Amino acid sequence: MKIYIFFNGDFYPEKTPLLSILDRGLCFGDGLFELIRCIKGRFLLFSKHIKRMRDSATFLEIPFPYGENELLNAAKELTRRNKIKDGELYIEITRGEAPRYHQFPKKTEPNFFLVLNPLREMPEECWARGVKVITFPDIRWGYCHLKTINLLPNVLAKEMAKNSNAYEAFFTREDKKGTYLTEGSSSSIFAIKNGFLMTSELDNILPGTTRAAVIEIAMKRKISVKETRLYLKEFIESDEAFLTSTVSEVMPVIKINDRLIASGMIGDLTLKLQSEYKKFIKEHLEW
Ligand code: PMP
């Protein structure tokens, strides 16, 4: 079957050569991306993802060429053309093509594309039994709140996780009190201790859409939420732990490096949030 992509306003078969080698995304990583779940042909938290991307583009002075409705229509058209109902929609914007100088010209036409693929396959038992994670030093820069396409540290961290038979790598930074966890290479981090739900504060990390949803769900259920500096030592001693992302949803974490968390058992609150998030998904599909 032919897979189509959307590029700068038109639809093309996916392997059509479209980008110039002078594209600043390619040369400098000068661009942004989003990944959105497509469920039963509809899109989860579409407007939140587009807002995050638009705000970051404004910050980087990349003109954002489309309105939300235009993008939703393009995404819908991809579900039709590609015959995909459950998938992942990848969106990328780059500053566009320009002679290769670091400083950017005031005016470039951004390149903008959407790719809709079937949802990647993940074993159900990850959600049922929990996963192992490893730690990896947070060697990234100071603007991690922007979802830029500069992902080499994340790529190296995930590769290390794969080579350690782990599901994810959690980035670590150091302060006077010790080692703390910031976020996963493509996920946000949560721990539960004495009934408190804790997650890394928004201090140079990506404000995850799933993270925000889980916080909202917890607050509605009167669970106390603390956005805080999450120290590795506390994480290991927590009663329950999980990670969140668009693809992983609420994924229990039972081991970090070689330390079991709560004897490797998935906690009740994690299970509750897992099922509440499933309900939340159904209520937040857009089109
Ligand atoms: N942190 C990073 C570094 C990520 O790449 C992702 C995945 N986009 C997340 C957190 C989770 O974000 P979301 O819940 O919006 O998928």
Side-chain angles (χ1 to χ4, degrees):
M1 195 186 67
K2 232 186 199 171
I3 290 280
Y4 284 88
I5 55 121
F6 170 94
F7 180 78
N8 291 348
D10 287 308
F11 295 89
Y12 300 89
E14 70 174 340
K15 295 216 170 118
T16 315
L18 294 162
L19 267 189
S20 154
I21 56 161
L22 290 179
D23 179 79
R24 288 187 57 98
L26 196 58
C27 295
F28 296 107
D30 191 353
L32 298 159
F33 76 105
E34 283 291 331
L35 192 81
I36 305 181
R37 281 287 291 280
C38 173
I39 298 169
K40 298 200 168 94
R42 299 170 73 204
F43 295 91
L44 178 62
L45 297 171
F46 193 84
S47 46
K48 291 238 158 71
H49 283 279
I50 300 302
K51 182 177 184 315
R52 183 166 72 182
M53 192 178 213
R54 188 192 296 280
D55 289 349
S56 302
T58 304
F59 185 92
L60 295 176
E61 297 177 51
I62 299 177
F64 200 81
Y66 298 108
E68 195 184 307
N69 276 344
E70 279 173 291
L71 289 177
L72 198 49
N73 284 336
K76 272 195 271 183
E77 178 61 17
L78 285 178
T79 63
R80 202 185 61 73
R81 288 190 185 227
N82 295 346
K83 298 191 177 46
I84 291 175
K85 287 210 172 324
D86 291 300
E88 34 190 278
L89 178 71
Y90 178 81
I91 309 185
E92 183 170 321
I93 183 173
T94 75
R95 196 182 299 277
E97 183 185 333
R100 197 196 167 282
Y101 301 117
H102 285 60
Q103 68 276 26
F104 51 86
K106 272 290 154 227
K107 269 213 167 109
T108 46
E109 294 270 305
N111 281 318
F112 200 106
F113 53 94
L114 307 182
V115 183
L116 177 65
N117 280 312
L119 187 63
R120 72 196 70 180
E121 281 183 24
M122 296 215 303
E124 268 302 315
E125 67 167 30
C126 289
W127 284 281
R129 298 221 190 119
V131 295
K132 171 188 165 180
V133 300
I134 57 156
T135 53
F136 191 90
D138 199 339
I139 50 175
R140 300 172 303 162
W141 68 333
Y143 286 163
C144 295
H145 64 293
L146 307 173
K147 202 164 162 64
T148 77
I149 55 177
N150 293 269
L151 290 175
L152 210 39
N154 310 55
V155 165
L156 295 179
K158 193 77 100 190
E159 184 63 16
M160 170 80 97
K162 189 188 91 189
N163 293 337
S164 314
N165 285 325
Y167 180 84
E168 174 63 306
F170 284 178
F171 285 123
T172 57
R173 294 185 199 139
E174 308 289 329
D175 70 9
K176 274 189 259 155
K177 277 178 67 187
T179 303
Y180 62 98
L181 303 170
T182 56
E183 61 186 330
S185 70
S186 60
S187 58
S188 312
I189 307 175
F190 285 84
I192 296 163
K193 185 76 184 175
N194 300 328
F196 275 93
L197 180 64
M198 294 183 293
T199 188
S200 318
E201 61 194 337
L202 290 181
D203 173 16
N204 197 20
I205 63 167
L206 187 80
T209 54
T210 323
R211 174 188 182 278
V214 167
I215 291 176
E216 186 186 316
I217 293 165
M219 298 214 311
K220 276 202 186 127
R221 299 284 169 277
K222 304 265 181 291
I223 298 165
S224 307
V225 180
K226 257 208 259 182
E227 294 181 63
T228 179
R229 196 157 273 197
L230 210 53
Y231 288 91
L232 176 60
K233 186 171 174 299
E234 288 165 5
F235 187 85
I236 293 169
E237 288 165 1
S238 60
D239 300 330
E240 306 180 27
F242 60 90
L243 60 85
T244 64
S245 81
T246 296
V247 174
S248 299
E249 301 183 4
V250 173
M251 179 65 77
V253 174
I254 53 165
K255 202 174 191 190
I256 183 158
N257 297 330
D258 284 320
R259 303 289 299 270
L260 276 181
I261 298 164
S263 326
M265 302 301 289
I266 302 180
D268 290 343
L269 200 46
T270 303
L271 288 174
K272 188 176 163 60
L273 289 168
Q274 216 177 38
S275 71
E276 293 278 334
Y277 183 68
K278 288 263 179 229
K279 281 190 229 155
F280 176 96
I281 289 180
K282 289 199 188 121
E283 291 157 9
H284 292 81
L285 295 174
E286 294 170 32
W287 81 351

